[in-house]
């Protein structure tokens, strides 16, 4: 092998290259070396450092008071926010310190102002207060180390300490990452990194205590003698020869490349100073010698199968189950004291009145030759139930036909005969009380059956004849149809339903969609927008009053229903309760589009008005929701004061097994709503019948007044809520443009990716694009519209997935090529 010899560089650069390089360097350096720019930048950094230090220092005393102002900055003007801040440097000082300490670095942010000041001082005075590079390393390491330490302490304490903000958002995220990787070993990592930093930064090996008594050169036990052939060599070649013996032979393209060739061909594997020297010397290199190299066997490594159940159990052990209320962990349910306690007393039915009514009933039946074996009374808040056992051989129909005669003898407003009472061998006669009992909603909420209920959507519907509170579960009904004439308690009943759910469910678990064609009945609940309400995107009001918006909202709920079914299918869950249980147990990955799904309750105050103005546009989505939405947690409460067949159509009625009727004006209306009579015999003021299946139960609806609802809503609205209301999927009706108006020259950046995804899976689904491309619903919806306009998928077909019109990737590529050509020509 020939030895390397040193040759001087005889190549000279052309004058053109020199001029080009010099002119370019001159422009850049002259601009950057402008003394005015340097001086201005230095003063800026010094003042910024002082400003930031004062803002951060003030945050330690005023941060808690200013936090609510900063977070609500988008909801108020700058002038109002500025007057409310207490930071020494005003609104911008509060915002800056909030982000630097609370959102980002925590207390470690105090390393930033002195670093800015030191850099600025050097730029202004051309001398260093501290060594800038060294101080920068110290600040960066100390800041990150302190962030991680305080963030991990916050994580261990579950953020319960009032000083938990000192770790900052960055510190908390670093702690979560480190906790997942090392667990309690995080403390060991912190100690080790501190020791290593101290060793290198302060160079403690230079301290005499850390030096050996008889030091020798690193890597050898003997001093080099004068006869060592390496002495007197050029340091570059000395380093090269020292390293050469340790270089491995490199195989490239089936040939073994000797060490000198490696230094020339692959300078990256040579130590940096040696590689640089080799490049400058233009070394003479021998041609490589070809040698046979046996191919080594290749092995395929299969990816390990992840046991999701074990992984979920591990996550639960480390982090606990997922808490959906964590984002509003400070939310407080309204206290029971906000509701009035009415002094209605017990029903004023004396023993004398009971005996008189019994005698009159028996006398009336005897007059018509109907014998009675026994009679007993059960006193309720509104009516008293008299149970009779007739003599053997008496037809029940004979007693039922005497309804008006018995009412005449008792001088009652109206009686209702139940023949027979389900589950009993008796006939019931309900007689209104002369003095009725006031049933307050507070008394219902105080009952153990409501306070300790485990129902998903509990509603304190009222008291039965036996004075027992009836608590129903809307999730099992699953929809409720409410009817009643004007002034009979229908609006109060809707308020009872809403108030019951508000008192038992956290905002993260429940959302309302409120439809109020009257525009005044549900306006009280507008203050709950950022807690309990759901609305359409770009909609100003959360309470829907416009008929066109009602149609859009109902269709948007249908889209939400379809999306939820897709999510449940991917999760392998049959209903919302199973899905949320899996999500809480950390068995579902949010990165795959999974999220905690709240219940959605749609409340329509007056269906008759909507049916008159919109007809089928309203009936069709209501029927679809009533048929399909139960499993995915969307429930309907629909009210009307005119229960005619034109309003409560057969399609709607068939899907509302639970029906609630207040007093109506005729037996026809009673049969329309309940499929049975009796609602026309009610006495009003909250007296109602609940039909669920074959059972009909008489109840007295609790009373809740408007001032009570205002106090409850104001209590909740005054608390911190979500940034916005719960956003429903965007829906575009026929009046808002369609596919024909989409401009394909302005395609989404992910248009081609979405098209390939749809064709590969042969499934035209918006939720598929959401999950695979990790997009929001609105952008995924625009993509599916563009794909329809381009002819990749077919039109919208309700709950079914769109038809994929392109069957293979070759056809798709031809289509995409034509779209690219059109775009380039335009």
């Amino acid at each position: 092998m020939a030895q390397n010899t040193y040759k001087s560089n005889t190549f000279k650069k052309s004058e053109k290259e020199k001029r080009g390089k010099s002119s370019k360097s001159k422009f850049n350096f002259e601009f950057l070396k402008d003394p005015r720019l340097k001086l201005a930048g230095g003063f800026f950094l010094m003042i910024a450092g002082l400003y930031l230090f004062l803002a951060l220092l003030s945050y330690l005393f005023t941060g808690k008071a200013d936090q609510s102002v900063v977070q609500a900055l988008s909801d108020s003007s700058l002038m109002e926010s500025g007057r409310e801040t207490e930071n020494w440097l005003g609104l911008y000082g509060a915002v800056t310190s909030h982000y630097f300490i609370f959102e980002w670095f925590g207390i470690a942010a105090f390393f930033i102002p002195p670093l800015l000041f030191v850099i600025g001082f050097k730029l202004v005075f051309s001398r260093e207060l501290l060594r800038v590079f060294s101080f920068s390393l110290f600040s960066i390491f100390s800041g990150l180390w302190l962030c991680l330490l305080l963030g991990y302490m916050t994580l261990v304490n579950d953020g319960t300490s009032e000083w938990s903000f000192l770790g900052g958002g960055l510190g908390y995220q670093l702690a979560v990452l480190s906790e997942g990787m090392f667990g309690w070993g995080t403390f060991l990592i912190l100690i080790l990194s501190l020791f290593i930093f101290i060793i290198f930064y302060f160079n403690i090996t230079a301290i005499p205590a850390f030096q050996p008594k008889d030091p020798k050169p690193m890597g050898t036990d003997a001093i080099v003698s004068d006869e060592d052939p390496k002495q007197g060599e050029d340091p570059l070649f000395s380093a090269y020869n020292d390293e050469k013996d340790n270089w491995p032979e490199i195989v490239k393209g089936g040939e073994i490349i000797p060490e000198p060739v490696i230094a020339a061909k692959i300078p990256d594997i040579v130590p940096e100073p040696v590689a640089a020297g080799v490049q400058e010397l233009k070394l003479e290199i021998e041609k490589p010698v070809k040698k046979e190299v046996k191919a080594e066997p290749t092995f395929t490594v299969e990816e390990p199968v992840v046991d999701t159940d074990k992984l979920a159990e591990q996550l639960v052990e480390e982090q606990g189950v997922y808490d959906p209320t964590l984002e509003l962990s400070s939310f407080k349910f309204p206290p029971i004291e906000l509701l009035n306690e009415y002094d209605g007393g017990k029903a004023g039915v004396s023993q004398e009145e009971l005996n008189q009514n019994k005698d009159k009933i028996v006398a009336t039946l005897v007059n018509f030759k109907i014998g009675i074996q026994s009679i007993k009374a059960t006193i309720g808040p509104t009516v008293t139930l008299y149970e009779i056992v007739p003599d053997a051989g008496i037809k029940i129909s004979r007693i039922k036909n005497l309804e008006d005669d018995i009412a005449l003898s008792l001088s009652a407003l109206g009686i209702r005969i139940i023949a027979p009472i389900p589950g009993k061998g008796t006939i019931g006669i309900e007689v209104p009380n002369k003095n009725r009992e006031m049933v307050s909603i507070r008394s219902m909420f105080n009952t153990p059956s409501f306070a300790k209920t485990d129902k998903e959507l509990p509603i304190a519907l009222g008291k039965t004849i036996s004075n027992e509170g009836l608590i129903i579960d809307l999730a099992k009904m699953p929809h409720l149809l409410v009817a009643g004439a004007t002034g009979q308690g229908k609006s109060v009943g809707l308020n009872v339903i809403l108030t019951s759910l508000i008192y038992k469910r956290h905002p993260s678990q429940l959302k309302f969609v409120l439809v109020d064609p009257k525009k005044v009945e549900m306006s009280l609940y507008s203050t709950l927008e950022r807690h309990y309400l759901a609305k359409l995107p770009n909609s100003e009001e959360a309470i829907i009053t416009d008929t066109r918006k009602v149609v859009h909202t109902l269709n948007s709920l249908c889209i939400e229903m379809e999306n939820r079914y897709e999510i449940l299918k991917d999760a392998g869950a049959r209903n919302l309760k199973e899905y949320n249980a899996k999500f809480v147990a950390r068995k579902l990955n949010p990165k795959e589009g999974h999220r905690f799904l709240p219940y959605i309750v749609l409340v329509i105050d007056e269906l008759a008005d909507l049916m008159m103005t919109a007809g089928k546009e309203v009936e069709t989505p209501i029927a679809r929701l009533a048929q399909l939405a139960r499993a995915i947690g969307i429930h309907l409460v629909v009210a009307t004061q005119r229960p005619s067949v034109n309003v409560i159509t057969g399609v709607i009625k068939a899907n509302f097994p639970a029906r609630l009727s207040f007093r109506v004006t005729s037996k026809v209306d009673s049969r329309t709503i309940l499929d049975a009579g009796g609602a026309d015999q009610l006495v009003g003021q909250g007296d109602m019948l609940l039909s669920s299946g074959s059972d009909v139960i008489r109840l007295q609806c609790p009373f809740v007044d408007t001032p009570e609802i205002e106090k409850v809503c104001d209590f909740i609205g005054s608390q911190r809520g979500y940034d916005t209301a719960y956003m429903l999927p965007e829906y575009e009706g026929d009046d808002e443009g369609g596919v024909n108006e989409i401009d394909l020259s302005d395609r989404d950046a992910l248009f081609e990716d979405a098209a390939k995804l749809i064709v590969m899976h042969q499934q035209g689904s918006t939720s598929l694009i959401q999950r695979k491309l990790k997009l929001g619903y609105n952008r995924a919806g625009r993509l599916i519209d563009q794909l329809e306009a381009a002819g990749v998928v077919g039109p919208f077909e309700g709950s079914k997935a769109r038809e994929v019109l392109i069957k293979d990737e070759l056809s798709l590529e031809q289509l995409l090529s034509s779209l690219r050509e059109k775009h380039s020509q335009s």
Side-chain angles (χ1 to χ4, degrees):
M1 181 180 296
Q3 293 182 354
N4 296 327
T5 59
Y6 179 86
K7 291 184 179 181
S8 61
N9 186 2
T10 59
F11 295 95
K12 295 184 178 180
K13 294 183 179 180
S14 63
E15 293 295 324
K16 184 177 181 181
E17 290 179 348
K18 291 182 178 180
R19 287 196 302 270
K21 184 175 181 181
S22 63
S23 62
K24 185 177 180 181
S25 300
K26 182 178 179 181
F27 172 79
N28 287 338
F29 282 105
E30 284 184 355
F31 175 76
L32 295 176
K33 289 184 178 181
D34 188 344
R36 296 172 298 178
L37 179 64
K38 180 180 178 182
L39 190 64
F43 276 116
F44 173 79
L45 291 177
M46 293 174 65
I47 298 301
L50 291 174
Y51 181 91
L52 183 58
F53 175 76
L54 292 175
L56 298 179
L57 184 62
S58 176
Y59 182 88
L60 300 179
F61 306 98
T62 63
K64 290 184 178 180
D66 291 341
Q67 185 174 2
S68 59
V69 178
V70 174
Q71 291 177 342
L73 189 60
S74 59
D75 298 332
S76 59
S77 64
L78 292 178
M79 294 293 292
E80 293 176 352
S81 300
R83 286 194 293 267
E84 294 177 1
T85 53
E86 297 182 13
N87 192 281
W88 301 341
L89 299 182
L91 176 62
Y92 289 110
V95 173
T96 303
S97 59
H98 173 80
Y99 277 95
F100 270 86
I101 292 182
F102 187 86
E103 298 287 346
W104 295 339
F105 308 111
I107 200 69
F110 279 92
F111 286 102
I112 299 176
L115 181 59
L116 295 177
F117 189 89
V118 167
I119 296 174
F121 188 90
K122 182 179 179 181
L123 292 176
V124 173
F125 301 101
S126 299
R127 60 189 180 90
E128 294 181 338
L129 283 175
L130 298 170
R131 295 179 60 187
V132 175
F133 180 77
S134 178
F135 187 68
S136 299
L137 288 179
F138 177 81
S139 299
I140 293 172
F141 173 82
S142 302
L144 292 176
W145 190 88
L146 192 59
C147 271
L148 178 56
L149 176 64
L150 296 176
Y152 191 76
M153 294 174 65
T154 300
L155 181 63
V156 171
N157 294 325
D158 294 330
T160 55
S161 173
E162 63 175 322
W163 301 105
S164 58
F165 70 94
L166 295 179
L170 175 63
Y172 186 83
Q173 294 301 324
L174 289 175
V176 171
L177 178 63
S178 182
E179 168 70 12
M181 296 174 64
F182 306 111
W184 279 96
T186 300
F187 282 119
L188 298 178
I189 298 298
L190 285 168
I191 295 173
L192 176 63
S193 61
L194 180 62
F195 284 165
I196 293 176
F197 178 78
I198 292 174
I199 291 171
F200 281 91
Y201 186 81
F202 296 99
N203 192 19
I204 64 172
T205 56
I207 301 174
F210 291 95
Q211 293 184 354
K213 296 181 179 179
D214 186 17
K216 293 181 180 179
M218 297 288 290
T220 180
D221 295 330
I223 301 176
V224 179
S225 65
D226 295 337
E227 297 179 358
D228 193 332
K230 293 184 180 180
Q231 288 188 358
E233 285 186 358
D234 186 273
L236 172 65
F237 284 96
S238 176
Y240 171 78
N241 291 326
D242 287 339
E243 293 292 332
K244 177 172 67 66
D245 296 335
N246 297 323
W247 287 350
E249 291 183 333
I250 303 300
V251 179
K252 184 177 182 183
E255 61 184 26
I256 296 181
I257 305 175
E259 297 91 33
V261 181
I262 297 171
K265 286 190 175 181
I266 317 175
D268 293 336
I269 68 171
V270 185
E272 185 175 352
V274 180
V278 172
Q279 291 175 357
E280 292 181 3
L281 296 176
K282 304 295 180 180
L283 300 177
E284 293 182 359
I285 300 170
E286 286 186 347
K287 294 182 179 180
V289 180
K290 296 184 179 180
K291 293 184 180 180
E292 293 288 335
V293 178
K294 294 183 179 179
E296 296 183 358
T298 58
F299 301 93
T300 58
V301 180
E302 296 183 357
E303 295 184 359
V305 179
V306 179
D307 191 337
T308 56
D309 290 338
K310 288 185 178 180
L311 180 60
E313 291 176 2
Q314 182 181 355
L315 289 173
V316 170
E317 289 179 1
E318 295 175 354
Q319 305 177 18
V321 296
Y322 173 77
D323 184 7
T325 67
L326 195 60
E327 190 172 353
L328 288 185
S329 58
S330 60
F331 177 81
K332 295 181 180 179
F333 286 92
I336 199 74
E337 289 74 21
L338 295 176
L339 303 174
N340 296 339
E341 187 172 6
Y342 296 96
D343 187 16
K346 296 294 180 182
V349 181
S350 62
Q351 186 64 38
E352 181 181 358
E353 183 180 348
L354 288 176
N355 293 333
Q356 289 178 357
N357 287 340
K358 287 180 182 179
D359 294 340
K360 291 178 181 178
I361 291 174
V362 172
T364 304
L365 294 175
V366 169
N367 289 337
F368 289 93
K369 299 180 180 179
I370 298 176
I372 301 297
Q373 292 183 4
S374 64
I375 182 170
K376 67 175 183 177
T378 303
I379 302 174
T382 305
V383 298
T384 299
L385 174 64
Y386 295 90
E387 297 182 55
I388 62 174
V389 178
D391 290 339
I394 302 298
K395 290 185 178 181
I396 295 177
S397 58
R398 292 181 60 191
I399 300 177
K400 293 184 70 173
N401 292 333
L402 297 177
E403 189 174 71
D404 293 337
D405 298 282
I406 296 175
L408 178 63
S409 65
L410 297 174
S411 301
L413 295 175
I415 66 170
R416 175 172 171 262
I417 296 180
I418 309 171
I421 297 177
K424 296 183 178 181
T426 59
I427 296 174
I429 301 176
E430 295 175 347
V431 180
N433 299 331
K434 293 181 180 179
N435 299 316
R436 301 175 56 176
E437 176 189 353
M438 168 70 75
V439 178
S440 66
I441 195 170
R442 177 169 178 172
S443 64
M444 288 294 300
F445 287 176
N446 278 327
T447 58
S449 57
F450 184 80
K452 300 179 180 180
T453 182
D454 58 351
K455 293 179 169 59
E456 293 294 315
L457 296 175
I459 298 174
L461 201 58
K463 283 191 176 182
T464 62
I465 289 179
S466 58
N467 264 313
E468 296 177 355
L470 178 65
I471 311 299
I472 63 171
D473 189 357
L474 182 61
K476 293 183 178 179
M477 298 189 77
H479 312 295
L480 184 61
L481 187 60
V482 183
T486 303
Q488 302 304 315
K490 178 169 53 63
S491 296
V492 174
L494 292 179
N495 289 331
V496 167
I497 294 172
L498 293 172
T499 308
S500 299
L501 294 174
I502 288 172
Y503 263 83
K504 296 302 291 185
R505 285 291 165 259
H506 190 272
S508 63
Q509 302 168 334
L510 174 66
K511 301 297 177 184
F512 294 116
V513 178
L514 302 182
V515 177
D516 182 17
K518 297 179 183 177
K519 303 182 180 182
V520 294
E521 291 291 345
M522 296 186 178
S523 58
L524 297 172
Y525 300 97
S526 59
T527 55
L528 306 181
E529 177 174 340
R530 294 195 300 159
H531 295 84
Y532 283 102
L533 300 190
K535 67 177 184 179
L536 289 172
N538 304 320
S539 178
E540 295 181 359
E541 299 293 334
I543 311 295
I544 302 114
T545 56
D546 182 70
T547 304
R548 179 53 49 188
K549 288 185 178 179
V550 172
V551 175
H552 290 183
T553 302
L554 294 176
N555 284 281
S556 176
L557 277 174
C558 291
I559 297 173
E560 174 76 10
M561 175 183 69
E562 294 161 6
N563 293 340
R564 289 191 171 200
Y565 269 117
E566 289 287 342
I567 294 175
L568 261 65
K569 182 181 72 173
D570 290 344
R574 295 176 301 172
N575 53 55
L576 185 75
K577 188 175 181 179
E578 289 184 8
Y579 172 84
N580 281 340
K582 281 189 173 184
F583 191 86
V584 167
R586 301 188 184 273
K587 295 181 179 180
L588 302 176
N589 191 350
K591 293 182 179 179
E592 297 178 359
H594 293 292
R595 54 191 171 88
F596 186 86
L597 298 177
Y599 284 97
I600 298 178
V601 177
L602 168 65
V603 181
I604 301 177
D605 184 40
E606 185 49 71
L607 181 62
D609 182 73
L610 297 179
M611 295 294 289
M612 289 177 62
T613 55
K616 289 291 182 181
E617 290 184 278
V618 170
E619 180 184 359
T620 301
I622 288 179
R624 289 198 63 224
L625 291 171
Q627 290 168 345
L628 301 173
R630 171 184 180 178
I632 43 82
I634 299 178
H635 303 278
L636 281 63
V637 177
V638 179
T640 180
Q641 66 178 0
R642 190 162 55 87
S644 63
V645 292
N646 295 329
V647 177
I648 305 176
T649 62
V651 176
I652 293 178
K653 190 175 179 180
N655 293 288
F656 283 81
R659 302 166 200 166
L660 187 65
S661 178
F662 293 86
R663 185 182 182 184
V664 293
T665 56
S666 66
K667 291 184 178 180
V668 175
D669 290 344
S670 177
R671 294 190 177 276
T672 301
I673 181 67
L674 296 177
D675 289 332
D680 55 313
Q681 298 293 336
L682 300 176
V683 296
Q685 296 182 352
D687 189 18
M688 59 187 181
L689 294 175
L690 174 65
S691 171
S692 55
S694 59
D695 296 334
V696 179
I697 304 172
R698 190 166 188 173
L699 300 166
Q700 174 61 43
C701 180
F703 179 70
V704 56
D705 203 359
T706 301
E708 298 176 76
I709 300 174
E710 287 180 346
K711 288 188 287 185
V712 171
C713 293
D714 290 342
F715 178 84
I716 297 174
S718 63
Q719 302 182 53
R720 185 179 73 87
Y722 297 102
D723 295 336
T724 60
Y726 184 86
M727 289 300 172
L728 297 173
E730 190 173 2
Y731 171 79
E732 292 185 357
D734 297 335
D735 57 333
E736 297 182 7
V739 174
N740 295 330
E741 299 182 9
I742 294 178
D743 183 10
L744 288 178
S745 62
D746 186 21
R747 299 189 298 275
D748 192 284
L750 295 177
F751 174 82
E752 294 191 5
D753 293 338
K756 293 176 182 177
L757 183 68
I758 291 295
V759 172
M760 180 175 66
H761 288 81
Q762 285 295 303
Q763 181 182 350
S765 167
T766 305
S767 59
L768 176 67
I769 297 177
Q770 281 184 267
R771 295 194 310 274
K772 298 297 183 181
L773 299 182
K774 298 178 181 179
L775 303 177
Y777 179 81
N778 292 343
R779 188 177 181 185
R782 287 191 292 270
L783 275 169
I784 206 74
D785 289 339
Q786 292 176 2
L787 292 172
E788 180 185 352
V792 178
V793 298
F796 178 71
E797 298 183 14
S799 60
K800 296 171 56 180
R802 295 171 182 256
E803 180 185 1
V804 181
L805 304 178
I806 305 296
K807 300 303 180 183
D808 55 76
E809 295 186 5
L810 180 60
S811 302
L812 175 63
E813 188 58 36
Q814 294 175 354
L815 176 63
L816 295 178
S817 299
S818 64
L819 290 175
R820 295 189 200 107
E821 291 177 2
K822 290 180 182 179
H823 180 61
S824 60
Q825 292 174 1
S826 61

